[in-house]
Amino acid sequence: MDAHSRGRADEIDPADQWVLNPQTGNYELRLDHSAGQSPGGTTGSSTRPPARSTTPAEAPVPGQRRRRPAEPEAPEAAPGSSGGGRRVPPQSRRKRKQGASRKKKVLLWTGGTMAFVLVGGAVGAYALYSRLNGNLDVVEVVGKNKSAGFRKGEAFNIVLIGTDKRTGAGNAGYGDKNSPGHADTTILFHVSKDRSNATAVSIPRDLKTNIPECQVKDGDQIKTIPAEADVRFNVSLGQNGRDPGCVMRTVEELTGVEVDHFMMADFNAVKEMTTAVGGVKVCVEKPVDDPKSHLKLPAGESVVQGEQALAFVRTRHSFGNESDLDRIKVQQQFLSSMIRQMKSDDTLTDPGKLFDLADAATKALTVDAGIGSLTKLQDLAGELAGIDTKNITFATLPVIDNPAEKVKATVVPHPTKAPQLFAMLQSDTSLTEVKKKEQAAKSAQAKAQAALLEGERAPSAEVRVDVYNGSGIQGAAQSTINWLQNEQGVLRSSNKSNAPEKAAKTTLEYAPNQADQARALADMMGLPATALKQGTADAAEREPMTLVLGSDFKGAGVPITGPAKAPKDLGEVAADKQVCAK
């Protein structure tokens, strides 16, 4: 019987078979549930792979990953040695809960797998804490609380970064030679306040954006990296000495969403973790033979791992229009499939796979100090364990071609859909609509306000409005006019430029005989009843209403009251669905 199958009889907790050898200070696998330990090593013929050797720490450089020291390996047992060592004290061992199924226990240990392929089963083999904890690379993000974990009862956000740095065996031919790496794949992972759902938003690497000033640790010193305007998003990492903290700040400036933590992995993460779980099922609509990525697959479903899995997520020229945006869709489909595999019975009921997954995940993972230990990753697992895969939705940041370029090589955020998506994340509105946000008022005051909006609404073509910008956001009035005319059919709208002074709240002033127009515009823009200001005298036949955009204005088409639904055409991928790449 091998180590993978031990501990499966009589509902014995597999972790309870790892006991502390007081002479070596290491945890060792007990082959028989009733047997003791050997004085110098493990009893039996098979144990987990030994911990990898360590080397003296190198001098830190900006953005350099610092590896925690690993525990020294335990010496092997002498041939013929027998038991007799002390067992671990009862308080050091996990007690089996009465009636709890083994699968449920393993699921709780490995709840961190919901952070896509990065956390993996890191908390599953907690008896090997020293080894797995030593695998982790930790970067201290300047300005972030390095002791912070997760805010209980609040939504939180993690940036997942895939770097194209050529680290790891067999990766010399990937990415850019001699490059410190870019933010090649970036996903903003939003976990809802009630922990019922999560939204994963992919940010295109070729998105033109502004990178804010950021500070990085340079040995014992703090180095300031200057800001850059109108550059590709992927240079927010590695270039000019930027560390993952700079990616976090770039995402915050882009989305308006506070980022709590980051997780970063390189090419080896895909190769090693897909191998650890025995492969990931993928599907393609037509045969693939890509000479650039070396991916060869027949039409239909296949199982990929190692180099073939990496080739699948790197392939651009075999799917869609060969753009990075289409590759993002393929990556989302792959990640969804990997999540399903990691939560499947094949993985959760196989202690060997769980250990391999934990080992591979922690070796491949770089995190911020706020989650830089297995204990803190276990906290993450607890926060994510209850989310069903059907309630994890992947989406891509809505973009348009960069209008400043003749040859379309980069993209910019969609002027209306991107702010709508950002507002959803900010207001913790789920793309899956697992628990629909109640838009109807609950308080008597809110109900009274809602009553003001009841009544007939004028057709869009009959709505007349002058728009003033009091928001402090440059171009807000014109972007609103463009949205009203092009997407809502309000052709009788005019940009009146800046308001006389900055306004705290958005207001719509209208006459009594314009009430139907006011209700129609309030519906389109998501204006609360408190924003409607009715005058006393009727307006002339062609007199327009007056809309003043205030500081609560978030973008054209973004409801002031918070989004009730997602913008269209986000290309959502639910993590519980198998989709064939086209």
Side-chain angles (χ1 to χ4, degrees):
M1 183 171 66
D2 64 16
H4 289 194
S5 60
R6 296 190 182 98
R8 301 180 68 167
D10 302 323
E11 291 297 300
I12 296 171
D13 190 329
D16 283 346
Q17 295 185 337
W18 289 90
V19 296
L20 182 66
N21 186 326
Q23 298 187 24
T24 65
N26 291 327
Y27 282 94
E28 300 171 355
L29 182 63
R30 229 179 29 249
L31 300 188
D32 183 82
H33 189 61
S34 62
Q37 295 168 268
S38 64
T42 60
T43 53
S45 59
S46 177
T47 64
R48 293 295 178 209
R52 60 189 176 88
S53 60
T54 58
T55 56
E58 298 178 0
V61 297
Q64 181 181 8
R65 303 187 298 176
R66 304 178 184 90
R67 186 168 298 284
R68 293 182 179 275
E71 291 281 345
E73 298 181 8
E76 296 184 359
S81 61
S82 60
R86 273 192 307 125
R87 292 188 180 183
V88 64
Q91 65 269 26
S92 300
R93 295 176 53 192
R94 178 173 176 169
K95 293 184 178 180
R96 177 163 51 92
K97 291 185 179 181
Q98 187 69 27
S101 71
R102 180 170 166 278
K103 178 180 176 183
K104 182 177 180 182
K105 291 179 184 178
V106 177
L107 178 61
L108 289 174
W109 295 345
T110 57
T113 62
M114 299 305 298
F116 311 126
V117 300
L118 298 182
V119 176
V123 297
Y126 66 90
L128 298 175
Y129 183 94
S130 294
R131 170 170 176 172
L132 298 181
N133 201 59
N135 286 345
L136 284 171
D137 287 339
V138 180
V139 170
E140 183 178 341
V141 177
V142 178
K144 291 288 184 179
N145 184 355
K146 64 181 180 180
S147 63
F150 298 93
R151 302 187 300 272
K152 299 293 183 180
E154 296 184 33
F156 65 87
N157 303 283
I158 302 175
V159 166
L160 308 176
I161 308 167
T163 175
D164 60 358
K165 186 176 181 180
R166 294 183 176 188
T167 52
N171 298 323
Y174 304 142
D176 295 332
K177 187 176 181 180
N178 300 323
S179 169
H182 302 79
D184 193 54
T185 298
T186 304
I187 297 174
L188 174 59
F189 185 43
H190 171 81
V191 180
S192 67
K193 178 179 180 179
D194 62 10
R195 305 300 189 256
S196 68
N197 62 85
T199 301
V201 178
S202 295
I203 301 175
R205 66 180 186 180
D206 294 328
L207 179 80
K208 278 296 190 76
T209 189
N210 297 326
I211 299 177
E213 177 183 283
C214 61
Q215 294 181 317
V216 301
K217 291 277 288 186
D218 186 2
D220 294 331
Q221 305 297 316
I222 294 178
K223 180 180 178 181
T224 299
I225 311 298
E228 281 192 82
D230 195 30
V231 294
R232 277 181 166 86
F233 177 89
N234 68 347
V235 302
S236 60
L237 175 71
Q239 313 308 302
N240 297 329
R242 295 189 179 98
D243 68 3
C246 298
V247 182
M248 293 173 66
R249 291 183 176 84
T250 303
V251 172
E252 288 179 335
E253 181 162 300
L254 173 66
T255 65
V257 173
E258 181 182 358
V259 177
D260 302 286
H261 303 286
F262 82 83
M263 296 180 179
M264 183 173 69
D266 57 20
F267 292 133
N268 273 1
V270 176
K271 295 194 295 185
E272 294 177 2
M273 296 183 68
T274 53
T275 301
V277 296
V280 173
K281 184 183 294 184
V282 297
C283 181
V284 295
E285 284 198 349
K286 57 186 180 181
V288 174
D289 187 356
D290 190 333
K292 293 190 175 182
S293 68
H294 306 293
L295 178 67
K296 291 185 179 182
L297 290 176
E301 291 186 349
S302 300
V303 175
V304 298
Q305 62 179 318
E307 291 287 349
Q308 193 178 31
L310 180 60
F312 185 83
V313 298
R314 294 187 67 247
T315 294
R316 289 182 55 175
H317 301 286
S318 296
F319 304 121
N321 61 7
E322 303 186 18
S323 70
D324 186 53
L325 295 178
D326 282 306
R327 184 174 68 164
I328 285 175
K329 295 178 184 177
V330 174
Q331 291 173 344
Q332 292 173 346
Q333 293 161 13
F334 176 85
L335 291 171
S336 297
S337 182
M338 189 160 188
I339 288 175
R340 293 194 299 273
Q341 177 62 28
M342 294 167 78
K343 287 178 66 66
S344 71
D345 288 348
D346 288 345
T347 301
L348 294 179
T349 59
D350 188 330
K353 281 187 179 180
L354 289 174
F355 174 83
D356 291 343
L357 184 58
D359 199 38
T362 50
K363 284 179 180 177
L365 189 62
T366 300
V367 300
D368 64 280
I371 52 174
S373 70
L374 287 185
T375 300
K376 291 173 181 177
L377 288 179
Q378 187 173 18
D379 290 341
L380 171 62
E383 299 297 311
L384 302 176
I387 305 179
D388 196 300
T389 52
K390 69 181 180 181
N391 300 331
I392 302 175
T393 305
F394 290 85
T396 303
L397 172 64
V399 295
I400 58 173
D401 286 333
N402 188 350
E405 295 177 337
K406 292 183 180 180
V407 178
K408 305 305 180 184
T410 61
V411 294
V412 296
H414 191 288
T416 57
K417 293 180 181 179
Q420 283 180 281
L421 179 58
F422 298 155
M424 290 192 68
L425 298 176
Q426 293 163 8
S427 62
D428 195 27
T429 301
S430 170
L431 282 175
T432 61
E433 297 186 356
V434 175
K435 193 174 182 181
K436 293 184 178 180
K437 301 295 179 179
E438 294 184 0
Q439 300 302 320
K442 292 183 178 180
S443 66
Q445 179 183 6
K447 289 180 179 179
Q449 292 176 357
L452 295 176
L453 296 177
E454 294 181 358
E456 295 184 1
R457 284 150 176 76
S460 298
E462 296 180 9
V463 174
R464 296 175 181 271
V465 62
D466 289 341
V467 181
Y468 292 84
N469 185 8
S471 68
I473 301 174
Q474 186 175 359
Q478 187 58 52
S479 66
T480 300
I481 291 296
N482 293 341
W483 178 76
L484 287 172
Q485 294 182 351
N486 298 332
E487 299 190 33
Q488 301 300 315
V490 182
L491 302 180
R492 296 171 178 174
S493 51
S494 302
N495 179 3
K496 294 299 182 179
S497 192
N498 292 329
E501 59 184 5
K502 191 172 181 179
K505 299 289 185 180
T506 297
T507 58
L508 176 63
E509 296 181 6
Y510 64 98
N513 61 340
Q514 295 174 322
D516 58 342
Q517 295 184 48
R519 295 188 192 103
L521 189 62
D523 270 356
M524 296 174 201
M525 298 192 62
L527 299 178
T530 52
L532 274 58
K533 308 296 181 183
Q534 181 176 299
T536 55
D538 284 349
E541 182 180 355
R542 297 186 178 182
E543 184 177 347
M545 300 179 292
T546 300
L547 174 67
V548 178
L549 304 176
S551 298
D552 55 355
F553 174 80
K554 300 180 180 68
V558 180
I560 301 297
T561 54
K565 58 183 179 181
K568 296 179 180 179
D569 305 321
L570 288 179
E572 297 99 322
V573 175
D576 66 327
K577 305 295 184 184
Q578 177 71 63
V579 180
C580 290
K582 300 179 180 180

